[in-house]
Amino acid sequence: MGRLFGTDGVRGLANRDLTAPLAMDLSVAAARVLGEAGAFEGHRPVAVVGRDPRASGEFLEAAVVAGLASAGVDVLRLGVLPTPAVAFLTSTLDADLGVMLSASHNPAPDNGLKFFDRGGHKLPDELEDRIEAALGQEWQPPTGDRVGRVRDAHGAVEQYVAHLLSTLPVSLDGLRVVMDCANGASSDVAPEALRRAGAEVITIGAAPDGLNINSGCGSTHLDALAAAVREHNADAGIANDGDADRCLAVTGSGEVVDGDQIMAILALELKEAGRLASETVVATVMSNLGFKIAMREAGITVIETAVGDRYVLESMKEHGYNFGGEQSGHVIMLDHASTGDGVLTGLHLMAAVARRKRSLDELAKVMTRLPQVLINVKGVDKSRAGTSPELAAAVASAEAELGETGRVLIRPSGTEPMVRVMVEAASHDQAASVAERLSDVVRTALA
């Protein structure tokens, strides 16, 4: 059996992979492991629990709350809120543990569970492994006045929105923004924050019914947002995913602005304000070469990590950097948040438009996205991807052909029997040609 925890908590088909008994058992195990680690020393432990609007979140929330309370943890129910709001409130409310129920950008039948520590950061692998190992172990549950108590947290949305607004350097007065909430966790929070920041807001994907989350809307389906921006003659469109830890955008002309472009814009804003720590941005190996070129020309260093926002965050915390993210739209602004925050990112992106008095179309031109082709080669021995002499020679030849205007990345999948071949080049035709050629080598060399 593989590791239960993935790179972003436990996730799967609700009521089949992630069941109510499993959610309860995980919550009990988390309380026990954190208690044994000294996280609750000298005081009665408190946890906050939030969720996105998926139908399955209703019964899974009940299971998590029951598990925590049965383990002697007092529980504050936050209701439907973005993942970064739960992380923020875990810290602000001085809770010992935060729990979020969401499957992010996955379709409605899926759900997930992730834990945050006292400061609102995702638990390290070592603690997740200990929680998993504790599942099903015999234990002596508390009784009497030692059982946890449960209550609803009042004012959580207001606390989070007030925090978001406090980070903005300028008003958004005069801007018209279309906000696509993916029928997810930001459906109330994101439009409210934009309006209170001064923007005129048109909302789409903001009527969650428990089953329509991420369905044809949000950051994974940008066509509807682009159409709405053009229809309403808006300055820009902002899209979150289901739990609102991602943000992508659309310009007034309907062009997509991806995570790399958003990072480039915001990195320059931070550098100009003298607030970009060590004048460095942390990104993953999948960030477009055009982003790295733009940052180099601006005098900004780019540090690369493995794919996954948790690895970006780990590097930032380890080295004292305060800004980083992924091409997918996870943007981490550590001065204001302990995790990627799509609502915060959207607000600051629009603040850059307002401050510079330039359109998002213009700001996005700070970098030129080089054509990027990704091919997933299935059914190969991915364990030999880093040791095959034939593949190494083919990569070296391709890199020599591409020169400084392209690059090659061969990456074994972390979860499936496949190897990902990514090529960037000056033209799409060249990128596609090189990618196909390297994919053929992977199929023969790793068969």
Side-chain angles (χ1 to χ4, degrees), residues 361-382:
D361 279 287
E362 292 178 273
L363 294 185
K365 290 175 183 174
V366 67
M367 65 164 277
T368 301
R369 279 186 297 190
L370 294 182
Q372 193 177 72
V373 172
L374 176 66
I375 298 176
N376 294 321
V377 185
K378 301 180 180 180
V380 295
D381 183 0
K382 64 180 183 180

Side-chain angles (χ1 to χ4, degrees), residues 49-54 57-58 61 79-81 86 99-102 185:
V49 178
R51 64 181 179 89
D52 71 22
R54 291 165 208 266
E58 296 166 4
E61 176 194 54
V80 174
L81 273 179
V86 174
V99 186
M100 179 65 185
L101 289 156
S102 175

Side-chain angles (χ1 to χ4, degrees), residues 19-356:
T19 62
L22 177 58
M24 182 181 287
D25 290 348
L26 281 166
S27 302
V28 169
R32 291 177 55 216
V33 166
L34 289 172
E36 291 166 0
F40 308 154
E41 191 104 23
H43 67 279
R44 188 177 175 95
V46 176
V48 296
V49 178
R51 64 181 179 89
D52 71 22
R54 291 165 208 266
S56 61
E58 296 166 4
F59 73 78
L60 290 172
E61 176 194 54
V64 167
V65 169
L68 291 171
S70 74
V73 179
D74 290 338
V75 180
L76 289 172
R77 282 187 301 219
L78 301 176
V80 174
L81 273 179
T83 291
V86 174
F88 166 74
L89 291 163
T90 301
S91 176
T92 298
L93 298 177
D94 205 23
D96 300 282
L97 175 66
V99 186
M100 179 65 185
L101 289 156
S102 175
S104 189
H105 59 282
N106 285 25
D110 291 343
N111 216 321
L113 186 155
K114 68 184 80 173
F115 295 109
F116 295 100
D117 66 15
R118 188 177 185 82
H121 297 97
K122 294 174 184 177
L123 297 187
D125 289 348
E126 181 266 333
L127 273 179
E128 289 182 341
D129 288 341
R130 287 173 61 185
I131 291 169
E132 188 169 336
L135 287 174
Q137 290 182 353
E138 289 189 15
W139 66 297
Q140 190 65 43
T143 58
D145 64 359
R146 292 175 56 237
V147 300
R149 305 300 297 273
V150 181
R151 59 190 173 92
D152 293 325
H154 299 291
V157 170
E158 174 57 33
Q159 273 189 280
Y160 177 56
V161 171
H163 161 67
L164 294 172
L165 295 173
S166 74
T167 71
L168 287 181
V170 296
S171 166
L172 305 187
D173 285 350
L175 293 179
R176 177 181 293 176
V177 181
V178 178
M179 182 68 228
D180 184 346
C181 304
N183 288 317
S186 71
S187 294
D188 291 331
V189 166
E192 175 71 7
L194 281 165
R195 287 192 185 101
R196 285 172 55 179
E200 177 189 348
V201 184
I202 297 101
T203 58
I204 64 173
D209 62 10
L211 303 174
N212 60 0
I213 188 169
N214 299 315
S215 179
C217 57
S219 61
T220 52
H221 302 88
L222 293 172
D223 288 348
L225 179 60
V229 167
R230 289 190 291 263
E231 177 188 348
H232 294 282
N233 195 29
D235 294 289
I238 302 294
N240 294 149
D241 61 340
D243 71 334
D245 63 354
R246 292 191 196 190
C247 170
L248 294 180
V250 170
T251 70
S253 64
E255 293 298 314
V256 171
V257 180
D258 68 12
D260 285 337
Q261 291 168 296
I262 292 172
M263 282 197 294
I265 293 167
L266 296 185
L268 292 178
E269 290 293 293
L270 288 169
K271 183 175 187 289
E272 186 171 316
R275 293 190 292 109
L276 183 62
S278 303
E279 300 201 339
T280 296
V281 174
V282 182
T284 77
V285 293
M286 289 301 291
S287 273
N288 193 278
L289 180 59
F291 168 74
K292 296 165 190 174
I293 292 171
M295 293 296 92
R296 184 177 66 217
E297 291 176 349
I300 296 173
T301 301
V302 176
I303 303 295
E304 290 187 351
T305 73
V307 175
D309 63 315
R310 74 181 300 152
Y311 302 114
V312 173
L313 182 58
E314 285 172 5
S315 178
M316 292 170 68
K317 290 166 62 179
E318 180 181 355
H319 301 289
Y321 304 130
N322 66 345
F323 186 70
E326 294 189 284
Q327 188 182 68
S328 60
H330 286 113
V331 177
I332 304 170
M333 307 179 74
L334 267 189
D335 290 344
H336 309 304
S338 59
T339 187
D341 188 329
V343 183
L344 178 75
T345 301
L347 286 166
H348 279 261
L349 182 63
M350 297 317 299
V353 171
R355 192 185 75 80
R356 291 187 180 270

